[in-house]
Amino acid sequence: MAAFFVSAASDDDPIIVERSRETNVVAAGEWEVRISRSYRFGKSLDGKNDTRALGQERTFKFCLHDTQIELFVRQLVGEGQSDAASSTTCRPMRMDIRDGHVHASQVCNGGSVSVEDPETNRTSTQPSRLHLNVDGAFDDASLKIDFESRRELLARDGLAAHHPDLMRWSIAGRKMGGC
């Protein structure tokens, strides 16, 4: 939108109309984004049958341009990054973003878990695999992304009773107003 300014010094001076340069205005909003605690549950690979919350919920507030929401979602999902240890080898993350929905997955190999055999009470180190799955939705005023990280044993050797370690957490955000 162009703005016009009219100035006149006196009745004898001509009226001068000046037009300002058009500026690109990018809408932005103040966002509040909450990262939930991680929840580990089910019978885990270490033999403990428990459910527990890890870490703490965190909330952030910041200004985000409306044109950067999809890029922000890509960064939140991790686009090729995993919480796997440096000793693991991860395949590239597969991410599909369209029509306000995001789906992503990644598999990492090379980690290990200490497992106690219930019959012998001996602890052994078993190779494991990590699967990360992400599902979410977003628009220009809100976002919700759910994460599930599942670690499973590769060699079962009589340990079929052990279920995968599961970790779940989510990221939710909403536009609070302008900034």
Side-chain angles (χ1 to χ4, degrees), residues 142-159:
S142 65
L143 63 89
K144 175 78 164 60
I145 308 169
D146 295 313
F147 297 81
E148 179 181 271
S149 179
R150 184 178 78 240
R151 184 173 297 277
E152 60 187 20
L153 293 175
L154 293 179
R156 299 261 176 202
D157 295 343
L159 300 171

Side-chain angles (χ1 to χ4, degrees), residues 4-124:
F4 294 94
F5 300 97
V6 179
S7 62
S10 68
D11 292 337
D12 298 323
D13 292 330
I15 297 176
I16 300 171
V17 177
E18 297 176 357
R19 181 176 158 218
S20 68
R21 292 185 182 179
E22 289 196 29
T23 57
N24 292 329
V25 177
V26 177
E30 181 181 0
W31 280 73
E32 179 178 84
V33 174
R34 180 183 47 82
I35 302 174
S36 76
R37 299 174 76 167
S38 294
Y39 292 91
R40 178 181 177 197
F41 60 95
K43 189 168 185 180
S44 66
L45 295 177
D46 62 12
K48 296 177 183 172
N49 192 9
D50 63 352
T51 302
R52 63 180 178 256
L54 305 172
Q56 61 184 345
E57 189 171 288
R58 293 168 289 174
T59 301
F60 303 93
K61 290 184 180 178
F62 52 88
C63 188
L64 180 66
H65 292 284
D66 289 353
T67 58
Q68 295 176 321
I69 295 170
E70 183 176 318
L71 176 63
F72 181 58
V73 168
R74 285 182 184 276
Q75 289 175 336
L76 290 174
V77 170
E79 198 155 38
Q81 299 177 14
S82 171
D83 63 345
S86 61
S87 63
T88 59
T89 302
C90 296
R91 295 180 187 155
M93 179 174 277
R94 293 187 343 207
M95 186 181 308
D96 181 28
I97 293 185
R98 71 176 88 141
D99 300 326
H101 294 280
V102 59
H103 303 284
S105 63
Q106 185 173 38
V107 176
C108 299
N109 291 309
S112 61
V113 175
S114 295
V115 177
E116 185 177 328
D117 187 322
E119 293 178 16
T120 64
N121 291 330
R122 290 188 179 198
T123 301
S124 63

